[in-house]
Amino acid sequence: RQEEEIEALKAIFGDDFTVMHETPPFDLVLDLVPFPGDDENNHAAVVLHVVLTTGYPATESPVIEVERDRGLSDKELAELGTLVTAKVSELKGSEVVYEVANVIVDYLA
C-alpha cells in the first residue's frame, strides 16, 4: 500500500514531491504552497516531511513534521501542526499523506 500511495503522490505533486529514502521506511518531502504554479501569489510555503513507518497505514501513523519555509508565524505554524495532528488521528488506518497536504494547502490559502 505504501508504494501505491507514493506513486499517486508523485503523479499529483510532480516536482514538489521527493522520495528521500526509497526503501522502507520511506522518507518523503513535499514542498507546499497555497497556489501551485502561481509564484506571485504564494506568500507562504511549508515543507511537509513524512516518514512512512513499517506499520503504516494499517496499524501505525506516519511520522510527520511541518517545517516553515516562509510566511508563517510561530503561532500559525503551531495551529497548522494541530490541524495536521487532528487529520492524522481522524484517518488512522488509512493513507493520510494526501489529506494532510490538502489541510496544509487550505490553511496556507
Side-chain angles (χ1 to χ4, degrees), residues 10-109:
K10 281 181 188 175
I12 294 165
F13 292 101
D15 292 341
D16 294 328
F17 176 77
T18 308
V19 179
M20 303 300 288
H21 193 258
E22 303 235 1
T23 57
F26 296 105
D27 187 351
L28 317 174
V29 174
L30 286 104
D31 297 312
L32 299 172
V33 293
F35 308 105
D38 183 5
D39 292 339
E40 201 172 297
N41 290 311
N42 288 322
H43 58 282
V46 299
V47 176
L48 176 62
H49 186 173
V50 181
V51 176
L52 303 183
T53 53
T54 9
Y56 170 81
T59 59
E60 294 178 355
S61 295
V63 176
I64 294 180
E65 183 179 345
V66 180
E67 301 171 9
R68 173 180 31 229
D69 187 7
R70 67 178 184 277
L72 291 180
S73 68
D74 290 344
K75 180 183 176 197
E76 289 168 327
L77 193 60
E79 287 174 0
L80 191 51
T82 301
L83 292 172
V84 166
T85 301
K87 183 55 79 174
V88 170
S89 295
E90 174 189 328
L91 297 174
K92 190 166 179 85
S94 302
E95 290 83 354
V96 300
V97 180
Y98 177 75
E99 295 298 329
V100 165
N102 274 342
V103 165
I104 292 170
V105 169
D106 287 348
Y107 182 87
L108 294 176

